[in-house]
Amino acid sequence: MELVFNIIKGVMIGIANVIPGVSGGTMAVSFGIYDRLINSISGFTKHVKESLALLSPVLLGCVLGIAGFTYAIEYLLENHTFVTCMTFVGLILGGLPALYRAMNEKKAAGSGKMGAGAILAFLLAFAVSAGLPLLKTGGDTLAVLPVNGSTMAILFVLGIVASATMVIPGVSGSMMLMILGYYYGIINTITSFLDGLRAMDLAALKDGFLLLAPFGIGVLLGIVLIARLISFLFERYGVQTYGAILGLVLASPFAIFYNTGLFGELSSLSVWAVLLGIMLMIGGAVVTNFVGEK
């Protein structure tokens, strides 16, 4: 049963990574597996069997979530923006109790203390997570990515940058790609590759592979690099690190609403839409608590 729940957690983390403003790392924190994932990645060579037991189902779920939700994301955010965002706000905020308990565990274990350092880490992280969406000033540089060497090199670097931010709770890798102007290009590349796979279009599969392979390699490299750093911070400065994560998580709803343009639409929402959004937010929080305990 744990295998099934880990796949479900991976699906939700994968979906979160597709939505600009939603952090896959935040979802992992909310589901109570963030530190286990980080330790499994950073200590993979030392504990291969144990690491694979956790990483394999979560990674499978991530792939399923990304592949399945890539088609739905534009439709949901365009036609049901408020209720979609409220659902993810609930999924994120529902993990706050678990995050607070984890911070207290680090404090009890002597990994840092609740003081000025933790408060400063919280404030800085909150400012970064809330301020990052404000950097977005325009649309994507390219909606369709050309298949050439320079694009492949850029995608490799983008994979490292995006994955590093995906791993950090509260910082959205998709939002970073949107700021850099490549979000829709990568989304279109993924959907074109999946369409080519369904139709067995070898030309589309080749182009998609040439673009997605360097991006995927960059993602894996970035995850390994940042996981080692975060693992070190958990060990030496656990309370301060969780303080920063708490700041990133609490700022995430603002990032979601701002990045999807919801602040300008709130006054035009119907009462039924607001009620449905609140119900889905509560439901998302309940799901987070239920899955996170499994």
Side-chain angles (χ1 to χ4, degrees):
M1 186 60 77
E2 182 182 1
L3 176 67
V4 174
F5 278 108
N6 282 339
I7 292 175
I8 293 173
K9 293 172 186 179
V11 169
M12 298 308 299
I13 292 171
I15 291 174
N17 278 324
V18 177
I19 300 178
V22 182
S23 167
T26 298
M27 296 307 300
V29 170
S30 299
F31 289 139
I33 60 170
Y34 181 76
D35 52 348
R36 291 172 56 204
L37 286 174
I38 292 298
N39 291 333
S40 294
I41 295 169
S42 61
F44 184 83
T45 55
K46 296 180 180 178
H47 308 284
V48 176
K49 185 177 179 180
E50 295 84 353
S51 297
L52 282 175
L54 175 64
L55 294 176
S56 296
V58 173
L59 181 60
L60 173 62
C62 281
V63 172
L64 294 175
I66 291 172
F69 204 72
T70 296
Y71 287 99
I73 179 62
E74 290 188 77
Y75 171 81
L76 288 174
L77 289 179
E78 182 177 349
N79 297 284
H80 307 285
T81 310
F82 179 72
V83 294
T84 301
C85 291
M86 287 293 283
T87 302
F88 274 90
V89 168
L91 289 169
I92 291 169
L93 297 184
L96 288 177
L99 179 57
Y100 183 73
R101 288 194 298 269
M103 183 188 299
N104 283 333
E105 289 174 3
K106 290 292 183 183
K107 181 181 177 182
S111 180
K113 58 182 180 179
M114 196 75 69
I119 295 174
L120 181 60
F122 170 85
L123 293 175
L124 287 175
F126 187 93
V128 168
S129 186
L132 193 59
L134 303 178
L135 297 176
K136 182 180 177 296
T137 56
D140 266 15
T141 303
L142 296 170
V144 179
L145 301 178
V147 183
N148 54 48
S150 61
T151 303
M152 293 167 67
I154 291 172
L155 288 176
F156 173 73
V157 175
L158 287 175
I160 295 176
V161 173
S163 66
T165 54
M166 288 174 189
V167 172
I168 301 173
V171 182
S172 168
S174 293
M175 186 167 62
M176 180 62 70
L177 291 175
M178 188 170 281
I179 291 169
L180 295 174
Y182 281 84
Y183 175 74
Y184 287 107
I186 292 175
I187 290 293
N188 287 338
T189 301
I190 294 174
T191 55
S192 296
F193 180 81
L194 294 174
D195 289 340
L197 187 61
R198 278 208 312 271
M200 291 306 296
D201 184 340
L202 296 182
L205 288 174
K206 182 194 74 174
D207 289 347
F209 178 80
L210 289 176
L211 293 174
L212 294 176
F215 182 74
I217 294 171
V219 166
L220 292 175
L221 180 59
I223 288 175
V224 171
L225 293 176
I226 196 67
R228 292 184 182 276
L229 173 60
I230 292 180
S231 183
F232 168 79
L233 292 174
F234 270 134
E235 183 179 346
R236 295 289 187 90
Y237 310 101
V239 175
Q240 292 88 341
T241 302
Y242 269 110
I245 291 174
L246 187 60
L248 292 169
V249 171
L250 285 175
S252 290
F254 170 82
I256 295 171
F257 274 54
Y258 182 89
N259 205 62
T260 54
L262 262 179
F263 285 118
E265 301 176 11
L266 292 178
S267 60
S268 61
L269 292 172
S270 68
V271 174
W272 293 113
V274 172
L275 290 175
L276 179 59
I278 292 173
M279 290 174 61
L280 289 174
M281 182 182 69
I282 295 172
V286 170
V287 167
T288 298
N289 283 322
F290 176 73
V291 177
E293 292 174 355
K294 300 301 178 181

